[in-house]
């Protein structure tokens, strides 16, 4: 790492109405460094990156690139200055092929009249080679899972020769193995002298991959340190302004077998993504469903609540056969599902926060004429979002004005609005900052203690291990086994998730090497 | 969840200064999409009242309102359908079909009231069938209603064999709904006000209509919130056809005739009105009040042009420009508002 400054940001301010997203941020980026940017949800990280990419104009302050003061008007100019940007929210065209998405910038600048598709596919294949060789460049983008789309987004940024690469929470939607592939690429780029700005809420990644870290809090620059000279606790403390315990809440003490069965699933198949699933969910337990992305976890739980067609399966709720034909039946019985794809189907971006939260059961905010009482609606939203410490400029503001993590909190508040008896959470803490994550974990445990049955799907293994009382692991649609108590370890989960057979007692002896081997399998 | 002394949410948000109720009201007026239209209409009123002394008279006001009252009822249905993310090209033809069916049944000896009910029912049923091609087969409303437009127009032609049905023998009670007045106010205008006041209130407040907004804003998220979006879309399409049928009956009573080429091109006027009134063709946005102001604007402009002795040949051109201007002004204001 040289100490040559490639980009310098001086005292940048940016307001959105009454919200001060950036209030005097200084930031220097050296050549060939990986610079982490940390901060709570809504601290202004994405906004700062959008200022660098020319998507927002700063109200005041300067940007210098290679010593020259620049004004960046739009992403094209940023591209010309050598800035590549992987957005937090996937911004790709769903209706066209992967190759067309990756080559969008090139096609855009090309002077030719016709598009050479075979060459385009070849170039796309090249860009995908390192990060996601399994993705077919001619597949339609919307046929891919979110994690694959995220990989395409990364490949797209990599296909442009850039000097500065911005990665805004790239790993939030990736599996461990995919993340590892990304880290390898990052290190290779760094060796080539490319500078990377890396945004993540995961301290482990920041401390393993980065050289320096800058912390923002409420739009204000707090500190910039070399990773060597600081510690995760320090960074978190600067982010939040206080100490955060990172302990997971205490697990269930009772034997789950003594608890009432809330939900019983037997013989559940959809003829495609998952096959013959069976499990019981007890009242008050947190039941994890783990597996690699694409293992059929989301489809399986969606089939339970009527959001995915099933070909067979008996589902009984509190001992009674549950007839769920449509998701609305499921909501009425008190089974709700928190979607993994917030932007696509989790929230209404253009609709106000209050209206997003009330949607599951409008009757709750209606008068007896079936008309909505806006005051009650706002009050409901206020109460639930206070509980989740949402950072917003008011309940009437559209969800699109919130930071990514705060949008996730709105999606959560929406689930809680119906006082569910079973809550199925698909990636509940995706994009949520360290402090809020601890709070959400505590909230989930509190819900369980109050007698709610909780199913959690998470690709973050530490979260599964730390939070869940039991974990069912799936591999390519098949149930591989269920882990309880001390059996719940990252190794055991990885072992089952990669389809290496039933859990064995000798896993404790699994060496580091075999884990890496299984991770290799995940990529393939 | 523990709240134990965590005051980490620092003052990102400045507390908004307390507004007096009046300021608040003004503020919400400024933010209303309809405000632009009200101002434009007011400006035309002021200008026109200087340009022509006839303009601000009751007969002229009555004539202007009559000219858009019936279509205004159809605009309500169109607005709902546009909010849900669809569009209906068939309303003109369906209005015509409604009057033709009712007229024909009446001439065949059916009681005119019953004939009207049957005819409106047939329009709803056609809407239902069209809706099924949208929700079951997955056609876009543009295509499905384009087909319905042809079918409804064709049926009218077949039923009438291309010649207008003259319905002079309609009983006076029936003619009253299209031609009569109560205390000097035409009955059609009363019906119009009842329909729009109820529907504006419902669209803003009723939970059933809220689902229309959710569906139009993000269909997938609506589906993932337990809303049966197909049912919502189907309902909106049926509503639109039913209101078109109802308007057709009003016209029949007003004209005392049923002409098979009535309402050609009317759908464009109605769509334009809804869009001028702030309905977004992307879905998720729109209001009855706005749409009514939209259609009011269009007809105030045409009657002003007549009063100003401007040749009718200019009317379409000027209306087209008004559409462009109103929508652009609104869009510019809207962009500025949301980018700040
Ligand atoms: N387009 C916008 N309009 C209004 N407010 C906005 C807009 N974009 C961001 N904000 C506000 O600016 C603040 C900073 O948001 P930003 O997206 O930069 O946060 P972040 O640090 O990236 O958070 P996260 O970790 O949740 O992604 C937030 O309070 C957010 O509500
Ligand atoms: Mg962000």
């Amino acid at each position: 790492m040289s100490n040559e400054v490639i980009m310098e940001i001086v005292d940048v301010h940016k307001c959105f109405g009454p919200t001060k997203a950036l209030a005097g941020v200084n930031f220097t980026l050296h050549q060939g460094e990986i610079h982490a940017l940390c901060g709570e949800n809504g601290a202004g990280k994405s906004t700062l990156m959008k200022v660098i990419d020319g998507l927002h104009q700063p109200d005041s302050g300067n940007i210098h690139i290679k010593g020259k003061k620049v004004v960046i008007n739009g992403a094209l100019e940023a591209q010309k200055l050598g800035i590549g940007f992987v957005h937090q929210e996937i911004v790709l065209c769903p209706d066209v092929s992967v190759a067309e998405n990756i080559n969008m910038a090139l096609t855009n600048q090309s002077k030719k009249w016709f598009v050479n598709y075979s060459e385009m596919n070849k170039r796309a294949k090249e860009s995908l080679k390192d990060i996601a060789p399994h993705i077919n460049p001619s597949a339609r983008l919307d046929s891919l899972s979110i994690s694959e789309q995220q990989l395409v987004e990364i490949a797209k940024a990599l296909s442009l020769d850039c000097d500065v690469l911005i990665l805004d929470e790239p790993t939030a939607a990736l599996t461990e193995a995919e993340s590892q592939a990304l880290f390898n690429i990052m290190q290779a780029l760094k060796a080539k002298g490319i500078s990377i700005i890396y945004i993540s809420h995961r301290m482990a990644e920041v401390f393993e991959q980065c050289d320096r870290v800058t912390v923002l809090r409420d739009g204000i620059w707090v500190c910039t340190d070399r990773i060597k000279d600081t510690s995760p606790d320090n960074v978190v403390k600067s982010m939040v302004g206080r100490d955060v315990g990172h302990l997971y809440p205490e697990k269930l003490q009772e034997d789950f077998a003594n608890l009432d069965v809330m939900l019983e699933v037997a013989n559940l198949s959809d003829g495609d993504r998952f096959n013959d699933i069976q499990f019981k969910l007890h009242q008050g337990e947190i039941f994890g469903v783990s597996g690699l992305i694409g293992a059929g976890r989301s489809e399986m739980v969606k089939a339970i609540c009527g959001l995915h067609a099933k070909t067979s399966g008996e589902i009984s709720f509190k001992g009674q056969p549950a007839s769920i034909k449509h998701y609305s039946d499921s909501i009425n019985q008190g089974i709700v599902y928190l979607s993994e794809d917030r932007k696509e189907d989790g929230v209404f971006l253009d609709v106000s926060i209050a209206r997003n939260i009330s949607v599951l059961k409008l009757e709750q905010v209606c008068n007896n004429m079936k008309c909505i009482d806006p005051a009650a609606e706002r009050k409901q939203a206020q109460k639930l979002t206070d509980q989740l410490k949402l950072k917003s400029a008011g309940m009437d503001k559209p969800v699109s004005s919130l930071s990514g993590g705060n949008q996730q909190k709105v999606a959560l508040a929406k689930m809680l609005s119906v006082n569910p008896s079973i809550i199925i959470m698909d990636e509940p803490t995706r994009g949520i900052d360290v402090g809020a994550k601890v709070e959400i974990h505590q909230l989930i445990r509190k819900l369980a203690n109050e007698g709610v049955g909780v199913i959690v799907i998470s690709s973050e293994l530490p979260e599964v291990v730390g939070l869940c009382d039991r974990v069912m692991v799936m591999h390519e649609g098949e149930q591989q086994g269920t882990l309880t108590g001390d059996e719940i370890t990252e190794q055991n989960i990885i072992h089952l998730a990669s389809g290496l057979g039933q859990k064995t007692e000798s896993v404790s002896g699994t060496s580091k090497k075999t884990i890496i081997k299984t991770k290799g399998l995940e990529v393939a | 969840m523990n709240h134990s002394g965590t005051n980490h949410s620092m003052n990102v948000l400045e507390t908004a200064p307390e507004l007096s109720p009046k300021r608040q009201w003004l503020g919400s007026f400024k933010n209303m999409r309809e405000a632009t239209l009200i101002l434009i209409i007011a400006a035309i009123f002021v200008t026109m009242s200087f340009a022509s002394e006839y303009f601000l008279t009751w007969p002229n006001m009555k004539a202007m309102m009559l000219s858009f009252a019936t279509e205004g009822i159809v605009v309500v249905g169109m607005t709902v359908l546009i909010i849900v993310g669809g569009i209906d090209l068939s309303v003109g033809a369906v209005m015509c079909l409604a009057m033709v069916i009712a007229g024909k049944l009446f001439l065949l000896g059916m009681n005119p009231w019953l004939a009207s009910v049957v005819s409106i029912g047939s329009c709803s049923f056609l809407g239902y069938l069209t809706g099924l091609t949208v929700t079951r087969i997955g056609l876009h409303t543009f295509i499905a209603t384009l087909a319905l437009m042809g079918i409804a127009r064709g049926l009218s032609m077949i039923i009438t064999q291309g010649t207008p049905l003259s319905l002079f023998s309609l009983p006076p009670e029936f003619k009253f709904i299209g031609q009569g007045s109560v205390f000097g106010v035409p009955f059609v205008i009363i019906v119009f006000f009842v329909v729009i006041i109820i529907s504006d209130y419902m669209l803003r407040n009723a939970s059933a209509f809220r689902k229309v907004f959710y569906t139009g804003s993000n269909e997938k998220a609506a589906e993932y919130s337990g809303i049966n979006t197909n049912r919502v879309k189907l309902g909106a399409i049926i509503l639109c056809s039913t209101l078109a049928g109802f308007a057709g009956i009003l016209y029949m009573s007003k004209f005392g005739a049923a002409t098979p080429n009535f309402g050609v091109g009317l759908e464009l006027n109605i769509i334009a009105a809804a869009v001028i009134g702030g309905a977004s063709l992307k879905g998720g946005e729109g209001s009855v009040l706005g749409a009514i102001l939209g259609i009011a604007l269009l007809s105030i402009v045409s009657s002003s042009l007549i009063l100003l002795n401007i040749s009718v040949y200019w009317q379409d051109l000027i209306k087209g420009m008004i559409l462009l201007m109103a929508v652009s002004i609104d869009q510019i204001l809207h962009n500025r508002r949301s980018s700040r």
Side-chain angles (χ1 to χ4, degrees):
Chain A
M1 184 178 86
S2 70
N3 271 348
E4 197 184 321
V5 173
I6 182 155
M7 176 164 41
E8 186 169 15
I9 290 168
V10 187
D11 199 30
V12 162
H13 289 253
K14 174 78 190 172
C15 293
F16 295 104
T19 313
K20 286 185 193 145
L22 298 174
V25 172
N26 298 308
F27 181 79
T28 44
L29 186 66
H30 293 164
Q31 190 181 6
E33 73 165 340
I34 303 182
H35 195 135
L37 190 57
C38 293
E40 286 184 289
N41 295 132
K45 305 178 296 291
S46 301
T47 306
L48 181 62
M49 294 305 109
K50 286 180 187 160
V51 165
I52 296 176
D53 203 41
L55 298 172
H56 288 320
Q57 287 306 315
D59 298 339
S60 65
N62 295 322
I63 303 174
H64 302 265
I65 289 183
K66 293 180 188 147
K68 262 204 317 256
K69 186 175 163 215
V70 290
V71 176
I72 307 173
N73 289 307
L76 189 60
E77 278 182 33
Q79 232 172 61
K80 287 189 181 138
L81 289 166
I83 298 170
F85 192 174
V86 175
H87 288 265
Q88 180 174 14
E89 311 287 346
I90 292 165
V91 276
L92 295 169
C93 305
D95 301 318
V96 301
S97 74
V98 169
E100 281 166 283
N101 269 295
I102 291 179
N103 289 296
M104 210 180 296
L106 273 178
T107 317
N108 200 1
Q109 288 164 20
S110 141
K111 297 250 156 51
K112 293 212 193 80
W113 280 47
F114 298 101
V115 179
N116 182 344
Y117 280 97
S118 66
E119 194 192 317
M120 186 192 260
N121 281 342
K122 219 168 76 201
R123 209 161 344 145
K125 191 135 214 143
E126 189 61 28
S127 327
L128 285 166
K129 192 183 69 196
D130 293 325
I131 183 129
H134 61 286
I135 295 178
N136 175 3
S138 50
R140 251 173 76 122
L141 189 90
D142 56 5
S143 69
L144 306 184
S145 70
I146 331 176
S147 83
E148 289 168 332
Q149 293 188 15
Q150 181 68 281
L151 294 172
V152 171
E153 175 99 52
I154 294 168
K156 179 183 166 193
L158 293 177
S159 73
L160 306 165
D161 291 319
C162 49
D163 306 321
V164 175
L165 179 63
I166 300 170
L167 299 170
D168 194 350
E169 296 192 37
T171 52
L174 299 184
T175 58
E176 309 254 316
E178 288 163 338
S179 306
Q180 197 54 52
L182 174 66
F183 297 148
N184 294 341
I185 291 173
M186 281 165 56
Q187 296 300 340
L189 292 176
K190 173 182 157 180
K192 279 199 246 169
I194 292 172
S195 318
I196 297 174
I197 304 176
Y198 185 76
I199 300 181
S200 175
H201 290 298
R202 301 185 185 166
M203 286 303 128
E205 290 174 357
V206 168
F207 277 78
E208 274 164 30
Q209 305 299 330
C210 302
D211 304 306
R212 292 199 299 161
V213 52
T214 290
V215 177
L216 299 183
R217 182 163 81 228
D218 296 330
I220 299 165
W221 173 84
V222 181
C223 60
T224 300
D225 287 311
R226 297 210 299 186
I227 287 290
K228 281 189 260 172
D229 307 336
T230 186
S231 69
D233 284 344
N234 261 336
V235 171
V236 172
K237 198 167 164 184
S238 328
M239 274 168 60
V240 193
R242 66 190 154 94
D243 279 312
V244 178
H246 34 199
L247 291 178
Y248 283 93
E250 201 170 305
K251 292 202 181 185
L252 193 66
Q253 294 305 315
E254 253 174 290
D255 185 4
F256 68 88
N258 299 336
L259 299 168
D260 292 343
V261 176
M262 287 280 265
L263 184 76
E264 187 168 356
V265 172
N267 185 22
L268 186 68
S269 308
D270 77 338
D272 177 30
R273 303 301 294 269
F274 57 89
N275 185 28
D276 197 16
I277 303 293
Q278 58 187 57
F279 66 89
K280 283 181 190 158
L281 173 70
H282 298 88
Q283 181 163 32
E285 74 171 339
I286 301 179
F287 185 77
V289 179
S290 193
L292 308 179
I293 289 190
R297 304 167 301 173
S298 300
E299 287 81 3
M300 190 271 290
V301 293
K302 281 188 207 171
I304 295 177
C305 50
L307 285 165
H308 183 90
K310 58 176 194 277
T311 50
S312 73
E314 292 87 55
I315 296 164
S316 61
F317 175 58
K318 293 183 179 159
Q320 305 288 325
S323 94
I324 295 172
K325 295 205 179 59
H326 190 260
Y327 182 42
S328 55
D329 303 330
S330 167
I331 296 173
N332 286 335
Q333 305 208 12
I335 308 176
V336 294
Y337 169 73
L338 175 74
S339 156
E340 63 176 327
D341 193 345
R342 169 171 75 227
K343 194 177 159 200
E344 184 73 13
D345 44 45
V347 292
F348 302 92
L349 282 173
D350 300 331
V351 173
S352 74
I353 298 172
R355 293 180 174 201
N356 262 282
I357 291 175
S358 63
V359 61
L360 289 190
K361 245 191 202 155
L362 286 170
E363 304 91 79
Q364 286 180 339
V365 293
C366 278
N367 57 21
N368 39 21
M369 296 286 290
K370 288 211 157 203
C371 284
I372 288 162
D373 174 0
E377 190 171 44
R378 225 172 292 126
K379 218 171 108 199
Q380 178 193 43
Q382 194 71 52
K383 197 175 124 227
L384 288 162
T385 53
D386 282 351
Q387 218 182 87
L388 296 167
K389 301 210 175 76
L390 181 88
K391 195 176 281 179
S392 79
M395 293 299 113
D396 296 328
K397 293 284 175 298
V399 168
S400 57
S401 71
L402 298 177
S403 77
N406 282 304
Q407 292 182 6
Q408 182 72 5
K409 291 184 186 176
V410 171
L412 263 171
K414 173 174 141 183
M415 299 300 130
L416 299 182
S417 71
V418 297
N419 292 321
S421 16
I422 293 181
I423 177 160
I424 303 173
M425 301 178 155
D426 205 346
E427 309 288 356
T429 59
R430 170 170 289 166
I432 287 206
D433 71 52
V434 200
K437 203 167 184 168
V438 171
E439 280 157 12
I440 285 178
H441 288 153
Q442 280 164 358
L443 174 79
I444 294 176
R445 179 54 75 187
K446 190 175 141 226
L447 288 170
N449 288 343
E450 284 165 4
V452 177
V454 184
I455 299 179
V456 171
I457 296 180
S458 172
S459 296
E460 255 182 85
L461 285 181
E463 181 169 86
V464 177
V465 173
L467 191 64
C468 300
D469 301 313
R470 287 194 300 144
V471 179
M472 176 176 107
V473 186
M474 290 172 66
H475 169 73
E476 290 182 355
E478 303 286 341
Q479 189 171 347
Q480 298 290 312
T482 303
L483 304 167
T484 333
D486 294 342
E487 297 170 344
I488 306 178
T489 62
E490 295 194 21
Q491 285 92 323
N492 280 348
I493 294 175
I494 291 174
H495 187 78
L496 288 175
S498 41
L500 295 181
Q502 298 301 309
K503 63 171 192 264
T504 44
E505 293 315 312
S506 64
V507 235
S508 49
T510 321
S511 68
K512 189 107 185 161
K513 221 162 129 199
T514 43
I515 302 173
I516 290 165
K517 213 168 108 208
T518 49
K519 279 184 175 169
L521 274 171
E522 288 174 55
V523 187
Chain B
M1 181 159 259
N2 73 342
H3 287 272
S4 56
T6 54
N7 59 345
H8 66 288
S9 51
M10 293 173 69
N11 271 336
V12 198
L13 316 172
E14 286 168 354
T15 30
E18 284 292 324
L19 295 175
S20 68
K22 196 168 154 221
R23 283 270 314 278
Q24 241 167 20
W25 189 86
L26 271 179
S28 71
F29 178 78
K30 236 174 62 195
N31 282 326
M32 236 166 60
R33 291 197 82 138
E34 291 89 355
T36 337
L37 279 173
I38 294 177
L39 294 180
I40 295 177
I41 291 175
I44 296 180
F45 260 73
V46 172
T47 325
M48 280 308 295
S49 59
F50 286 112
S52 155
E53 56 213 34
Y54 178 67
F55 186 81
L56 267 185
T57 59
W58 171 236
N60 186 46
M61 290 295 126
K62 198 162 77 176
M64 280 196 304
M65 267 197 267
L66 265 180
S67 70
F68 66 79
T70 317
E71 288 172 32
I73 293 170
V74 186
V75 166
V76 171
M78 185 67 81
T79 306
V80 173
L81 186 50
I82 290 182
I83 295 172
V84 93
I87 197 157
D88 190 343
L89 299 178
S90 68
V91 285
V94 169
M95 274 162 87
C96 173
L97 181 64
M99 59 170 34
V100 165
I101 293 179
K104 187 75 185 178
L105 289 175
F106 169 69
L107 290 181
L108 291 174
M110 193 185 266
N111 169 314
W113 301 101
L114 181 61
S116 306
V117 172
V118 171
S119 138
I120 295 175
S122 323
C123 293
S124 314
F125 184 68
L126 279 178
Y128 171 71
L129 293 181
T130 315
L132 286 186
T133 66
V134 172
T135 55
R136 290 280 168 82
I137 303 176
L139 299 187
H140 192 280
T141 46
F142 188 96
I143 300 299
T145 58
L146 185 64
L148 178 60
M149 174 165 108
I151 292 170
R153 182 69 64 195
L155 285 174
S156 313
M157 287 295 178
I158 294 169
I159 293 172
T160 58
Q161 290 299 306
T163 45
L165 310 175
S166 75
L167 307 167
F168 293 120
S169 49
L170 279 172
E173 321 85 79
F174 190 81
K175 283 187 183 152
F176 175 81
I177 56 169
Q179 302 172 6
S181 302
V182 181
F183 299 119
V185 183
F187 189 67
V188 173
I189 293 183
I190 297 175
V191 173
F192 163 74
F193 273 108
V194 171
V195 170
I196 61 158
I197 289 172
I198 293 178
S199 57
D200 188 69
Y201 183 81
M202 297 281 279
L203 195 57
R204 283 175 205 279
N205 299 295
S207 64
F209 281 103
R210 174 65 78 75
K211 294 182 182 170
V212 168
F213 284 93
Y214 286 128
T215 305
S217 170
N218 181 347
E219 193 177 333
K220 207 144 170 236
E223 197 60 55
Y224 273 62
S225 302
I227 294 172
N228 193 335
T229 53
N230 276 341
R231 202 181 295 162
V232 173
K233 282 194 281 184
L234 191 59
I237 295 170
I238 295 175
L239 178 71
C240 202
S241 301
T242 310
L243 288 177
F246 180 60
I249 299 296
L250 287 183
Y251 270 121
M252 178 178 83
S253 156
K254 179 173 168 185
F255 298 146
T259 27
N261 50 12
F262 173 79
V264 174
L266 201 68
E267 55 280 347
L268 296 182
N269 217 24
I270 287 171
I271 293 168
V275 171
I276 291 177
S280 155
L281 290 181
K282 286 197 309 259
E285 252 177 85
S287 75
V288 169
L289 177 60
I292 295 304
L293 289 170
I295 199 152
L297 176 65
L298 287 177
S299 42
I300 290 169
V301 168
S302 24
S303 65
S304 304
L305 294 176
I306 295 170
L307 284 180
L308 294 175
N309 277 328
I310 292 173
S311 146
V312 285
Y313 301 125
W314 282 84
Q315 288 214 7
D316 281 342
L317 184 128
I318 292 176
K319 272 191 185 169
M321 284 175 18
I322 298 259
L323 172 66
L324 209 57
M325 253 164 48
V327 178
S328 307
I329 291 175
D330 188 69
Q331 188 67 39
I332 292 165
L333 291 178
H334 202 64
N335 285 351
R336 188 165 309 154
R337 219 178 287 144
S338 59
S339 75
R340 233 182 304 149

